[in-house]
Amino acid sequence: MMSTATAPVLSYSPLALSVPGRPVDLEVRVTAPETGTALPVVLFSHGHGPSNNLSSLNGYAPLVNRWAADGFVVVQPTHLTSRTLAHLVADAPGAPYFWRSRAEDMSHILDRLDVIENVVPLLAGRIDRTRVAVAGHSFGGFTASLLLGARVTDPDTGEEVRLVEPRITAGVLLAAPGRGDVINGPMGGALPVFRSLDFTTMTAPALVVAGDEDDSRHFTDMGPAWHADPYTLGPGPKSLLTLFGAGHALGGIPGYDVAETTDENPARVAAVARLTAAYLRSALHPGDGAWPAACDALANDVDPVGRVDAK
């Protein structure tokens, strides 16, 4: 599949950030447009998919390249859940899912934006630190939900946990897990923190992207509607992009030509990249009409990839 990028982008990795108490350095990839200033930041949280490498800073190029081409600095950490680190962190506190650490990684990145800006070639002086969004796919959508204000209960202590990051003002949740009180599948035992996931406190603006064939039976028998819960149960303003015929990979967003994708569809991936970029532009640049225009074009398409609801 050819890139949907519309302008040249620069990518730099790995950039290692030392974090006290973290068992290994926090490594990130930074992707930015070749030109432009006052660039907003998008933090991207990878999922926990079956690949050895795509669930790391090396994944999700179809989205990242498009977002960077549209004027964003995209920062992708390798979370401790990545299979690329399994041999190094198997016995670390929080293993194997590191649900709290994943969210904390994003705050550490925001704390170090000055380092990132000065290390990455040609980036100095070009970042707008006042405009920050978070995006995430699957388990990354859970991470993004926490940063946007969703709450959970720590299954080990029984304490309510809030990891909301006030420097983040908008988000994109891609095939994210839904509410916890309907989880009745085997993964509920492996990830008990998911059972307490509550979106009623997730007040930040967000676009929720869900496939209408994404039936995650390993978590719940609720069906594809489960992945719309962040929209259905979260306070507005929220938008929901429902993709027709899409499974959990939403056509193949984890990478170019990913054979394991059950619903491989390059056109769908390109549409997800285009529509999410439009949402991010309007969310981080008040008054920008990219998202309303994209919604109008989708509504008037004779063969639409999906539909948009809003509240």
Side-chain angles (χ1 to χ4, degrees):
M1 185 176 77
M2 296 184 65
S3 170
T4 58
T6 56
V9 301
L10 308 171
S11 185
Y12 183 90
S13 74
L15 190 163
L17 303 173
S18 178
V19 177
R22 201 175 190 271
V24 296
D25 285 347
L26 173 56
E27 291 193 341
V28 303
R29 174 184 295 274
V30 181
T31 307
E34 183 181 32
T35 61
T37 57
L39 303 173
V41 175
V42 179
L43 307 176
F44 188 87
S45 179
H46 62 72
H48 191 61
S51 292
N52 288 323
N53 199 259
L54 290 177
S55 291
S56 74
L57 57 77
N58 291 317
Y60 297 90
L63 297 185
V64 172
N65 289 343
R66 175 59 189 255
W67 295 347
D70 272 21
F72 302 99
V73 176
V74 186
V75 185
Q76 299 172 261
T78 294
H79 295 304
L80 295 177
T81 54
S82 176
R83 284 178 171 81
T84 63
L85 300 178
H87 61 297
L88 298 174
V89 302
D91 297 325
Y97 293 111
F98 298 102
W99 61 268
R100 187 190 295 261
S101 169
R102 289 175 60 102
E104 292 172 344
D105 284 346
M106 301 312 207
S107 293
H108 291 312
I109 290 169
L110 294 179
D111 292 341
R112 308 290 184 84
L113 282 181
D114 56 339
V115 175
I116 291 171
E117 192 173 29
N118 289 322
V119 171
V120 176
L122 305 180
L123 192 59
R126 300 175 61 204
I127 290 180
D128 183 351
R129 291 168 174 75
T130 68
R131 303 179 191 271
V132 180
V134 65
H137 174 239
S138 191
F139 199 175
F142 169 83
T143 301
S145 296
L146 296 183
L147 293 162
L148 293 169
R151 63 185 172 189
V152 292
T153 298
D154 187 324
D156 295 324
T157 66
E159 296 179 355
E160 181 180 297
V161 177
R162 297 292 303 279
L163 295 170
V164 61
E165 174 51 74
R167 289 171 289 186
I168 295 172
T169 58
V172 176
L173 309 181
L174 300 143
R179 68 184 185 269
D181 60 1
V182 297
I183 291 179
N184 52 17
M187 281 303 293
L191 270 165
V193 69
F194 276 29
R195 292 184 179 275
S196 61
L197 185 54
D198 176 9
F199 297 105
T200 60
T201 56
M202 194 177 74
T203 57
L207 169 64
V208 178
V209 183
D212 68 0
E213 295 185 4
D214 185 3
D215 191 355
S216 297
R217 293 290 172 134
H218 52 301
F219 278 109
T220 179
D221 58 10
M222 184 177 167
W226 186 59
H227 293 286
D229 278 348
Y231 168 81
T232 306
L233 303 176
K238 297 287 189 295
S239 295
L240 172 65
L241 170 60
T242 303
L243 296 169
F244 303 149
H248 196 61
L250 305 178
I253 63 171
Y256 296 117
D257 295 324
V258 181
E260 70 206 25
T261 301
T262 60
D263 64 330
E264 187 174 21
N265 187 317
R268 180 179 298 135
V269 173
V272 172
R274 181 181 69 252
L275 289 163
T276 52
Y279 178 84
L280 288 166
R281 285 195 60 83
S282 293
L284 295 178
H285 295 283
D288 189 301
W291 177 239
C295 291
D296 288 344
L298 183 65
N300 292 318
D301 194 329
V302 295
D303 186 21
V305 297
R307 70 175 185 274
V308 172
D309 298 288
K311 67 178 186 180

